[in-house]
Each structure stands twice: as C-alpha cells, then as structure tokens.
Amino acid sequence: MHIPENYLSPQTCAVMTAAMIPVWGHAVKQVRMEISKDKMPLLGVGAAFSFLGMMFNVPIPGGSTGHAVGGTLIALLLGPDAACVAVTIALLIQAVLFGDGGILAFGANCFNMAFVLPYLGYGIYTFIKNRSSSDKAGYIGAAIGSYVGINAAALCAAVEFGLQPLLFHDAAGQALYCPYGLNLSIPSMMVGHLTVFGLCELIFTTAIFAFIQKTSPGMLRESNSTSKTPVYVLIAALIAAVPLGLLAEGTAWGEWGADEIAEVVTNGSALGYTPAGMTSGFELSTIFPDYTMAGVPDVAAYLLSAIIGAAISVILFRLIASAMKTKTTY
C-alpha cells in the first residue's frame, strides 16, 4: 500500500500533503494535551509495532504481496490522534531510510494509513464496544474496525492510483505516472485487502491488543500504570521473526520500479512502456534501499533494518518525553 515515488503527479502529492497538514496539526495538539510525559514513550512502542507489522509481507496468488499496518491497534491502545502521529513516524522512517514509500507521496501514504485507517478503525471499534456490555465486544470491535480500516485505506490508495492516467497523460494518451485506471486499480488493490491482507490486519490487531490487555495494561491510554516489559519482549519477538517477511516473493501491486513496470502483465498483456514521469521524476537515494545493506546477506540486512526502525521509533519518542515538562496538578 506504500505509494512509491513518481506514481502520483506532483500536483496530486501537493493536494494530499495539504490535506494532511491540518490532520497532523490536530493530532499533535491532542497528543500534547492527552499524553503525559510518562506515557509519551509508548507512542514509540506503537510506531515500532506499525513499522514491524509492515515488514511481514504476505503473498497472494498472482505474485502480489501485502502486509498489516497496525494503525487501528495503536488507536485502541493510545487513541486515534496518537496513532496518527505514530504511524506517520513509522512511514517517515521507512521512506527516508529504506525507500519504502515515496518522499513526494509521503502525504498521500499518511492520508491513507495514518489518517483514514486509524480514525475509521477506532470509530468502528468504539461504536461496537459502546453498544454491548459483553467482554467480547471490544475484541469484536477491534477485529471489524481493523479490517474495515485497512480496506478503506487501500481503497483510497486505489483511487489515487486510478485517477492518474485520467488526469495526467501525454498527447499520445500514454500515462505520465501510474498507468492503470480505476477499472484496474480498484479491483487489483481490493481483492488482496478484502481477503488475505485484511485478515492479516485483523489478526495482528486483535492478537496484540489481547496480549497487551492481559500482560501490560499499563500501555492503555486510560491506565495509570506504565509497566510495559512484556511489550518490549513482544517487540523483540517480532524483530526476531521479521525475516519471515522475505519468504513472500513478488512485489506489492502498484510498487514496481521504473525499470520493471513496462514488463508488468495485466489482463494478459504487458504495459509496454515506462511512464515519462517515472523516468524523469524525483528520486531519493536512501541509506538502506529496500531494506538491503551492501555486503550483508538479505536475511541479516532485513533483521538489522527491523532493529534500526524499531529502535529509532522508541528512542525518538523517549527524547520527546525527556523534553516535556511534567504537568503539575493543583
């Protein structure tokens, strides 16, 4: 679901980034008001969950892959505003260090995964939980909310992809950016998310949510406790298992490189050309492109990437917490 560089026009990227600015402003303001100095490091834990969840690639028939995001999970634990901030940081680390998602497309990726997904997922969770006294209502709400949230995010990405050839093409009718219209982008994105990837998000969210409620309730927003040792053990376990994400062969739909998109076969025929915007657009050279490291075996590089991403997430919010003033009550 990570939109790469040059799949969206600069105009589209500008619009999506502009749409996210008030969202980021609201989320940061609410986090500063609602999250205490002691709780702030937990946003780093949430960002680490999201970063690691997105490294577990899962294949589907046809050669495509996908992953969980964890946006609804963080919203259940710390609130949707905290989830927006945490997922934004996870996406920023991925884009800047690993080239996973475009820099220009950062606003669009955040709109889909840091805005639509957690706020909608949390809204559905709250709606279901508040209408039942059953202890299971929270888990049912978490499952449905996370499933609907990731599918809504995927639909937004599909529309953003699909509008490109309609709005931006050359005199010969060839697309300048993403070459697949809505008739292809929507079914191609949604088939995988309505089935396998949506199920992955559901399992990832409900399993970790249940684990935290039972072993480390201090991570919940309404708890006064800050005990979170089991959570760090879980993060370590996820990091150790991250190389399993390499078992999924193929590329996620809409994430092909400019050097391979001309050969991508859709409806029985290859595209046959590379959109001009992809060959002449912006490109950032990242330190660890596609989670690889020069001279390091793929498994080790993937594992080190997971450690780096999770560590930066946790350390960043610890630094933010250390700079915060302790609120005094009278």
Side-chain angles (χ1 to χ4, degrees):
M1 200 191 305
H2 290 69
I3 300 176
E5 214 69 87
N6 305 316
Y7 267 73
L8 303 182
S9 70
Q11 297 93 319
T12 304
C13 292
V15 168
M16 299 306 298
T17 301
M20 275 304 298
I21 289 175
V23 177
W24 285 321
H26 168 81
V28 169
K29 179 181 178 181
Q30 292 300 117
V31 165
R32 292 179 63 183
M33 292 174 54
E34 298 174 1
I35 305 297
S36 67
K37 180 184 178 76
D38 291 338
K39 289 284 187 181
M40 186 60 67
L42 295 179
L43 269 73
V45 173
F49 276 139
S50 181
F51 182 91
L52 295 172
M54 289 187 274
M55 292 189 73
F56 284 92
N57 296 309
V58 179
I60 60 172
S64 184
T65 64
H67 53 72
V69 175
T72 300
L73 169 65
I74 305 171
L76 302 184
L77 300 174
L78 299 167
D81 299 305
C84 178
V85 173
V87 175
T88 293
I89 294 301
L91 292 172
L92 183 62
I93 294 170
Q94 289 177 322
V96 172
L97 292 184
F98 305 101
D100 194 3
I103 297 298
L104 295 183
F106 179 67
N109 284 323
C110 287
F111 182 89
N112 304 333
M113 290 183 274
F115 172 52
V116 172
L117 195 165
Y119 284 99
L120 179 59
Y122 183 78
I124 293 172
Y125 160 79
T126 302
F127 179 85
I128 293 174
K129 185 176 183 295
N130 290 347
R131 280 159 179 77
S132 174
S133 58
S134 171
D135 293 337
K136 296 181 180 179
Y139 294 116
I140 294 173
I144 296 176
S146 59
Y147 178 83
V148 174
I150 196 169
N151 275 284
L155 179 60
C156 288
V159 171
E160 290 153 16
F161 279 132
L163 289 176
Q164 299 309 300
L166 178 65
L167 299 176
F168 308 99
H169 49 79
D170 60 21
Q174 290 189 337
L176 296 177
Y177 303 100
C178 176
Y180 302 109
L182 294 169
N183 62 318
L184 286 175
S185 66
I186 291 178
S188 296
M189 284 289 290
M190 297 313 297
V191 166
H193 285 86
L194 286 169
T195 53
V196 178
F197 310 146
L199 183 61
C200 289
E201 182 80 7
L202 184 156
I203 294 171
F204 184 79
T205 299
T206 54
I208 295 180
F209 184 49
F211 174 83
I212 289 174
Q213 281 199 315
K214 292 180 179 179
T215 66
S216 191
M219 189 171 175
L220 301 177
R221 178 173 52 169
E222 61 272 16
S223 172
N224 291 322
S225 170
T226 57
S227 175
K228 47 188 177 291
T229 299
V231 174
Y232 285 113
V233 173
L234 177 59
I235 288 177
L238 289 174
I239 290 174
V242 146
L244 293 174
L246 291 173
L247 296 176
E249 298 182 355
T251 303
W253 194 93
E255 296 186 22
W256 308 285
D259 58 338
E260 59 184 338
I261 192 169
E263 305 302 321
V264 173
V265 176
T266 305
N267 290 341
S269 60
L271 180 63
Y273 72 96
T274 302
M278 293 187 180
T279 59
S280 60
F282 173 81
E283 196 66 40
L284 174 70
S285 296
T286 56
I287 302 175
F288 311 116
D290 295 324
Y291 306 100
T292 61
M293 300 177 186
V296 179
D298 288 347
V299 171
Y302 209 62
L303 186 60
L304 287 172
S305 296
I307 294 172
I308 291 170
I312 291 175
S313 299
V314 172
I315 292 170
L316 175 63
F317 283 99
R318 281 191 172 275
L319 291 174
I320 293 173
S322 66
M324 294 174 63
K325 295 180 180 179
T326 303
K327 294 181 180 179
T328 304
T329 56
Y330 296 94

